[in-house]
Amino acid sequence: MRTGNMTTAICGTCLILLYLFIRYRVNRRRFGRRGIAGLQQFRSYRHFVVVATLESIVMIAAKLCGLAGLVLLAAAGFNHLKIKP
């Protein structure tokens, strides 16, 4: 494996790990807000709007990181399989 392919694979793996970490943290926070009935509880409507919006933005960014990681891993795999004369 060449150095460029190795760097691409490492970056792709790091992005996927970042995606998994962010997803874990956001879902853990959501779980911690759940009450006895299983619904999320907020201090006020304003708190709900701010938290829900920020979590949505962070989850979208995490999904983009995961997708970019998969693309980088696929690119590294395809470059590794190329037959060079």
Side-chain angles (χ1 to χ4, degrees), residues 16-82:
I16 290 175
L17 290 175
L18 178 66
Y19 160 71
L20 292 173
F21 177 74
I22 291 172
R23 188 173 160 86
Y24 169 76
R25 294 293 294 183
V26 169
N27 286 334
R28 185 174 177 209
R29 284 179 47 91
R30 288 178 180 169
F31 179 78
R33 282 195 301 266
R34 298 214 185 266
I36 198 162
L39 299 175
Q40 293 186 39
Q41 297 175 347
F42 294 93
R43 286 180 266 150
S44 65
Y45 179 72
R46 182 181 306 169
H47 185 253
F48 161 72
V49 170
V50 170
V51 169
T53 303
L54 288 176
E55 283 182 349
S56 297
I57 291 170
V58 168
M59 287 298 281
I60 289 171
K63 288 177 184 179
L64 290 174
C65 283
L67 184 62
L70 287 175
V71 168
L72 286 175
L73 284 177
F78 286 136
N79 285 337
H80 180 69
L81 294 176
K82 280 187 182 175

